[in-house]
């Protein structure tokens, strides 16, 4: 329990993220007939408005599920049991995607990673070149690995696939990259992109988004995996008529309508620039404290989340507990291999200079209270970074 209930809770995990008040209000509207014209028009309009956010002209589907459901849907609509997929394991979410693929009956070729850098496109090329029988049906890539704060170069992966002359499809998890980092579905030649509502979209969890390519639509139904609830066909129809094959989460759709309005008012380029500067300021604070971040390659540092390594022998989870207790701030925990070794500051979604400064101040004060050896001056370094950017 925080020391005092006054003031605002700081939600600094990399999803779910802060939901703007106007989106919360939009979701509080009275329920209506999900098969009536008002909902259908709104829902059909939303699916059109999602396309520019993925930079695609192809359909973008909405499913009532978390991102994990969208992973499963990508497999079940295009692949057969025993098909092979290739994935570089660069952190906990790519590891979970592997587990999901195996659970769906797929054969997985894993390229192990160090959890400190992104997907090595050369290794993808090598693995595809070695697949002379063309067994690999899809390459799976996590654009932003939320567990490590590392962003991978998707165009480089596409280039590697083309250089290998392999015709595997490319599936990209954009769950924590979309709207924080540029993503170009059509230009980058991605076949299936997967996203969720609870991060850059600034919505509660509960919706997943799936952007398709022409190829993905051709592959639809060619496999033998059961599609069940996640069948694309009726939901592709819903992108045109707004009528879903089940009861859609009406309130979340209203929230999504308003969230897209918020996004469009800021504009994509401004959103990417805002995320980049907040991430840079956070890294400046970490460097001033004398800590290391988990991401080692500068060009791969995430716009969405920064994972900070604790000094050896210091429990990151105990530290997060201190921060929550004293300052009512939730920091992200380490996951999988880096559990209790890193903590994460999410700077994704509805965040601005002062909200991130508040988070950094909370971390610096909590470090002091927890008695963790660090240099002071993180707050100052972050302020300098933000004000230098403003005056530039
Ligand atoms: N992929 C990435 C990159 C994620 O960050 C997450 C969740 O944080 C997931 C997949 C899983 O999504 P969900 O928890 O919405 O099922």
């Amino acid at each position: 329990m925080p020391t005092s209930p006054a003031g605002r809770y700081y939600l600094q995990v990399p999803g779910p993220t802060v939901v703007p008040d106007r989106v919360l209000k939009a979701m509080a509207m009275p329920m209506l007939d999900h098969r009536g014209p008002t909902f259908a028009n709104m829902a059909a309009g939303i699916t059109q408005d999602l396309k520019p956010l993925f930079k695609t002209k192809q359909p973008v589907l909405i499913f009532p599920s978390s991102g994990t459901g969208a992973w499963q849907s990508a497999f079940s609509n295009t692949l057969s049991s025993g098909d092979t997929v290739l994935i570089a394991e660069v952190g906990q979410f790519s590891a979970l995607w592997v587990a999901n693929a195996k659970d769906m009956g797929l054969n997985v070729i894993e390229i192990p990673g160090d959890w400190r850098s992104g997907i090595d496109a050369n290794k993808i090329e090598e693995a595809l070149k070695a697949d002379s029988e063309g067994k690999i049906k899809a390459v799976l890539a996590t654009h932003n690995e939320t567990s490590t704060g590392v962003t991978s170069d998707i165009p480089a992966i596409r280039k590697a696939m083309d250089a290998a002359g392999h015709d595997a499809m490319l599936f990209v998890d954009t769950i924590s990259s979309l709207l924080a980092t540029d993503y170009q579905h059509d230009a980058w030649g991605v076949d299936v992109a997967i996203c969720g509502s609870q991060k850059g979209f600034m919505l509660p969890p509960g919706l997943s988004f799936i952007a398709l390519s022409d190829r993905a639509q051709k592959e639809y139904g060619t496999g033998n995996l059961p599609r069940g609830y996640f069948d694309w066909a009726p939901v592709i129809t819903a992108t045109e008529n707004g009528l879903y094959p089940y009861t859609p989460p009406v309130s979340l759709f209203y929230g999504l309508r308003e969230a897209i309005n918020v996004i469009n008012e800021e504009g994509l380029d401004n959103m990417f620039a805002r995320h980049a500067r907040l991430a840079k300021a956070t890294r400046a604070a970490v460097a001033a404290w004398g800590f290391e971040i988990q991401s080692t390659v500068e060009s791969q540092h995430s716009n969405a989340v920064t994972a900070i390594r604790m000094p050896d022998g210091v429990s990151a989870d105990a530290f997060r507990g201190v921060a929550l207790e004293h300052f009512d701030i939730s920091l992200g925990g380490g996951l999988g291999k880096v559990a209790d070794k890193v903590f994460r500051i999410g700077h994704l979604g509805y965040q601005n200079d002062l909200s991130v400064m508040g988070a950094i101040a909370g971390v610096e004060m909590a470090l002091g209270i927890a008695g963790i050896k660090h240099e002071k001056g993180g707050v100052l370094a972050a302020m300098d970074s933000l004000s230098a950017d403003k005056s530039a």
Side-chain angles (χ1 to χ4, degrees):
M1 279 294 286
T3 326
S4 159
R8 258 190 124 120
Y9 163 60
Y10 269 68
L11 179 60
Q12 301 299 147
V13 301
T17 60
V18 174
V19 178
D21 291 351
R22 56 188 272 200
V23 173
L24 289 172
K25 279 193 197 123
M27 288 190 297
M29 56 90 61
M31 209 37 57
L32 48 68
D33 175 14
H34 64 293
R35 302 205 190 284
T38 307
F39 180 81
N41 287 336
M42 191 252 324
I46 285 177
T47 50
Q48 296 314 310
D49 291 351
L50 283 172
K51 292 181 183 180
L53 308 186
F54 285 84
K55 301 195 175 166
T56 185
K57 297 205 168 356
Q58 301 290 332
V60 180
L61 318 189
I62 306 175
F63 278 97
S65 82
S66 81
T68 303
W71 278 343
Q72 181 164 328
S73 147
F75 298 143
S76 63
N77 281 270
T78 59
L79 301 178
S80 289
S81 171
D83 275 355
T84 299
V85 295
L86 172 68
I87 179 165
E89 194 218 282
V90 290
Q92 177 68 359
F93 289 103
S94 35
L96 288 174
W97 208 359
V98 168
N100 183 259
K102 288 183 178 165
D103 190 51
M104 292 290 290
L106 301 173
N107 175 39
V108 184
I109 301 177
E110 288 170 63
I111 301 173
D114 63 0
W115 285 43
R116 299 202 67 176
S117 55
I119 302 167
D120 183 342
N122 293 325
K123 290 199 176 141
I124 299 280
E125 189 174 332
E126 272 167 35
L128 291 175
K129 279 185 173 155
D131 179 36
S132 50
E133 291 174 43
K135 284 199 168 142
I136 298 170
K137 298 288 181 233
V139 173
L140 317 181
T142 305
H143 190 194
N144 183 71
E145 194 24 279
T146 323
S147 62
T148 58
V150 172
T151 303
S152 286
D153 184 345
I154 302 300
I157 295 166
R158 175 78 261 172
K159 223 168 131 195
M161 292 172 70
D162 294 345
H166 199 289
D167 81 335
M169 289 181 282
L170 175 57
F171 293 180
V172 176
D173 173 341
T174 69
I175 290 179
S176 64
S177 60
L178 202 86
L179 303 169
T181 304
D182 190 24
Y183 172 76
Q184 304 183 21
H185 189 75
D186 290 354
W188 295 354
V190 178
D191 293 298
V192 182
I194 286 132
C195 198
S197 53
Q198 76 273 26
K199 298 187 190 276
F201 275 98
M202 307 172 283
L203 279 168
L207 294 179
S208 66
F209 308 110
I210 304 177
L212 303 179
S213 69
D214 203 29
R215 162 94 187 271
Q217 290 171 80
K218 288 199 180 100
E219 299 282 348
Y220 164 80
T222 56
N224 68 12
L225 286 174
R227 297 186 290 278
Y229 180 75
F230 284 112
D231 192 344
W232 286 350
V235 180
I236 291 178
T237 307
T239 64
E240 281 146 27
N241 65 12
L243 296 173
Y244 281 78
Y246 39 66
T247 316
V250 173
S251 311
L252 279 172
F253 272 70
Y254 272 92
L256 177 57
R257 174 65 275 159
E258 190 60 13
I260 294 173
N261 295 343
V262 175
I263 291 162
N264 288 341
E265 280 167 30
E266 183 172 15
L268 286 184
D269 288 344
N270 291 335
M271 277 187 92
F272 304 148
R274 171 169 59 80
H275 281 87
R277 68 194 293 280
L278 297 177
K280 189 172 156 204
T282 305
R283 292 194 297 272
V286 177
W289 292 325
F291 297 154
E292 244 186 279
I293 62 170
Q294 183 68 10
S295 171
T296 49
V297 181
E298 200 179 334
S299 60
Q300 299 177 351
H301 295 342
S302 171
N303 276 357
V305 54
T306 300
I308 298 143
R309 288 165 71 87
M310 281 270 108
D312 282 347
V314 176
S315 163
D317 289 345
F319 167 67
R320 291 191 308 118
V322 170
L324 180 61
E325 182 189 341
H326 289 273
F327 302 110
D328 204 15
I329 177 172
S330 284
L331 299 164
L335 301 170
K337 281 186 200 168
V338 290
D340 206 26
K341 294 191 169 65
V342 306
F343 72 92
R344 295 172 298 152
I345 300 180
H347 27 75
L348 165 65
Y350 202 58
Q351 296 285 334
N352 64 16
D353 291 12
L354 293 188
S355 66
V356 168
M357 281 312 310
I360 289 169
V363 169
E364 189 160 332
M365 288 188 285
L367 286 170
I369 292 169
I372 296 170
K373 198 166 166 281
H374 67 288
E375 301 295 325
K376 291 203 183 299
V379 168
L380 196 59
M383 287 198 308
D384 284 348
S385 169
L386 290 171
S387 41
D389 271 9
K390 279 271 190 228
S391 51

